Amino acid sequence: MKVRRLTTVGAALAVTVLIGGTAASAVPNGAQFRPPADSLRALAQPTGLRIGTAVIPFDLDTDGYVQLVGDQFSVVTPGNEMKWQVVEPTQGSYDWTAADRLVSFAQAHGQLVRGHTLTWHNQLPNWLTAGVADGSISNDQLKSLLHKHIVDEMTHFKGKIWQWDVANEFFTDSNPSQINPNDFWVSHLGAGILGDVFRWAHAADPKALLFYNDYNIAGEDGTNAKSDAVYAWVKSQLAAGVPINGIGDQGHLDTQYGYPYSLQSNLQRFANLHLKVAITEADVRTFVTDAASQVPTDHLAEFAQPYEFEQMLKACLAVQACISFTFWGFGDADSWVPGFFKGEGYATIYDVNLNPKPVIQVLQQELRLAARAAPVR
Ligand code: 9MR
């Protein structure tokens, strides 16, 4: 995939509740959890914007890491733990353990959950891709299996997921862009499968917000070609009555391309279709000396990285329908970037030792200003 384009941590909140007159220690429930006043989630609260993170790595056992997840964010996305490969490694045998654990964590910390992702070409179970490749799974069977996957997963989590990424990364990066005819799902089941998955999803959990999620769909490609293609598609789907509730722009930026100033207007035009929008996987990468320390090679990148994050947050804050802003992980050591983009890194908001980077103060300041000026959502 070619993608063009805090802070003091409060002390752990020990919660003691009175049950039947006796004090009992308990896992805090959402109503009781109080994040630090200068946390990103608390500062965003007056605007109604949820600040999120992908939980990558999936580590709910290391104190310092867990505390940041709980304190700083009001919505969480499992980076991998709801993907088909993880939840059904063997056909017919589900493993919800990790995802259930995150949902419980979120409930205990007053957080919502973004479910990610139901229909994608990547991270599919081997039994499925192998069966399609050797012809033992026909296209009709493949369609039934996808239907079952969506219904079973959404039913398992019914009522617990705020936003579901129902379909992920279906459009080409070319100009003009289109639904990728070579996509695993499209090549076997046709482009109409995109409408089907949203209909199935709505039937399975009518209250969840159903999102189409992709990268470079808010002008990050410099041409707006992919955004235009997704816009035309979603408009036609809505006209046909397909239950799509939102568009997620992943928001993977790179300082070498500059900030995409059309991001806000692109979010707004989706919003004008009566859709919610969200930044779902924000990070801003740059060239670094090495993957271990992730020090930018160009000192100006230390200013460009916070600037681009700030602009992206500002764009979301300015669009009332933008309901969440999620980082794709919060520590440089755990980011997907160095493994994917040769020579790049420094893409998140905490450094390789989980110390806050300058960007956090910039974002805090932006949220403080927004509490007075941004539309409440
Ligand atoms: O962060 C995820 C990483 O741990 C996985 O190895 C990778 C596999 O493709 O997927 C990463 O998350 C992706 C997300 O699901 C969809 N958008 C792009 C993300 C970064 O690759």
Side-chain angles (χ1 to χ4, degrees):
M1 171 171 68
K2 178 174 180 285
V3 183
R4 272 204 61 176
R5 10 207 175 358
L6 294 191
T7 180
T8 45
V9 176
L13 197 70
V15 171
T16 300
V17 290
L18 281 171
I19 299 173
T22 46
S25 248
V27 176
N29 69 32
Q32 293 166 319
F33 186 77
R34 294 277 174 273
D38 69 347
S39 63
L40 295 174
R41 65 181 286 183
L43 292 172
Q45 202 266 333
T47 67
L49 177 69
R50 294 260 171 177
I51 304 290
T53 188
V55 179
I56 301 174
F58 196 79
D59 176 4
L60 297 179
D61 297 309
T62 303
D63 289 349
Y65 177 88
V66 171
Q67 186 160 1
L68 288 174
V69 176
D71 282 355
Q72 297 297 330
F73 306 101
S74 50
V75 55
V76 288
T77 308
N80 295 295
E81 290 67 25
M82 287 186 184
K83 291 171 179 171
W84 198 343
Q85 184 181 62
V86 176
V87 299
E88 196 182 3
T90 306
Q91 187 171 9
S93 158
Y94 289 118
D95 181 358
W96 310 113
T97 324
D100 280 347
R101 196 170 167 211
L102 183 61
V103 170
S104 300
F105 178 92
Q107 289 170 343
H109 292 81
Q111 298 168 318
L112 299 178
V113 180
R114 292 197 87 258
H116 176 82
T117 173
L118 293 165
T119 318
W120 191 27
H121 63 267
N122 209 353
Q123 291 180 282
L124 294 168
N126 286 339
W127 59 262
L128 184 82
T129 49
V132 170
D134 69 18
S136 60
I137 296 177
S138 69
N139 286 347
D140 281 350
Q141 288 168 325
L142 182 64
K143 190 170 178 179
S144 304
L145 287 166
L146 179 59
H147 177 249
K148 179 173 161 48
H149 161 65
I150 290 173
V151 171
D152 287 356
E153 177 147 7
M154 290 188 72
T155 303
H156 177 82
F157 293 110
K158 190 170 181 173
K160 298 176 179 170
I161 306 294
W162 182 36
Q163 307 172 18
W164 263 115
D165 286 335
V166 175
N168 192 47
E169 300 176 5
F170 272 83
F171 283 73
T172 60
D173 295 327
S174 54
N175 183 7
S177 173
Q178 59 174 338
I179 292 176
N180 185 358
N182 302 319
D183 173 87
F184 177 82
W185 294 108
V186 175
S187 65
H188 289 102
L189 305 178
I193 194 63
L194 272 172
D196 291 337
V197 293
F198 281 94
R199 287 189 203 92
W200 298 337
H202 179 68
D205 187 352
K207 289 190 180 156
L209 293 173
L210 307 182
F211 271 69
Y212 176 75
N213 190 52
D214 211 331
Y215 60 90
N216 287 359
I217 58 167
E220 297 93 333
D221 58 1
T223 67
N224 232 38
K226 199 165 165 184
S227 181
D228 288 346
V230 171
Y231 180 80
W233 167 77
V234 74
K235 202 172 168 184
S236 72
Q237 297 296 291
L238 292 171
V242 177
I244 301 173
N245 306 114
I247 295 290
D249 178 42
Q250 294 182 0
H252 296 296
L253 305 186
D254 185 331
T255 62
Q256 69 177 309
Y257 302 120
Y259 178 73
Y261 286 97
S262 57
L263 195 138
Q264 182 178 326
S265 57
N266 275 303
L267 295 182
Q268 188 61 58
R269 73 171 169 161
F270 287 121
N272 291 347
L273 296 175
H274 306 293
L275 292 165
K276 299 295 184 192
V277 293
I279 300 293
T280 55
E281 305 183 14
D283 49 24
V284 182
R285 63 188 182 273
T286 195
F287 286 97
V288 292
T289 52
D290 61 287
S293 65
Q294 297 192 41
V295 175
T297 51
D298 180 345
H299 289 309
L300 291 179
E302 291 168 24
F303 297 90
Q305 196 255 19
Y307 175 80
E308 295 204 15
F309 261 125
E310 179 188 23
Q311 295 304 310
M312 187 156 46
L313 177 61
K314 261 175 108 159
C316 176
L317 283 162
V319 176
Q320 192 171 23
C322 190
I323 54 175
S324 61
F325 184 101
T326 292
F327 298 91
W328 202 245
F330 56 87
D332 282 346
D334 307 315
S335 165
W336 68 298
V337 166
F340 206 93
F341 298 96
K342 196 170 164 34
E344 296 191 73
Y346 197 76
T348 75
I349 60 175
Y350 288 82
D351 70 13
V352 290
N353 299 311
L354 283 189
N355 292 314
K357 287 156 67 173
V359 60
I360 293 184
Q361 285 185 16
V362 173
L363 299 177
Q364 287 174 318
Q365 187 61 10
E366 201 54 57
L367 292 169
R368 286 190 183 102
L369 290 168
R372 294 161 172 265
V376 175
R377 55 222 71 207

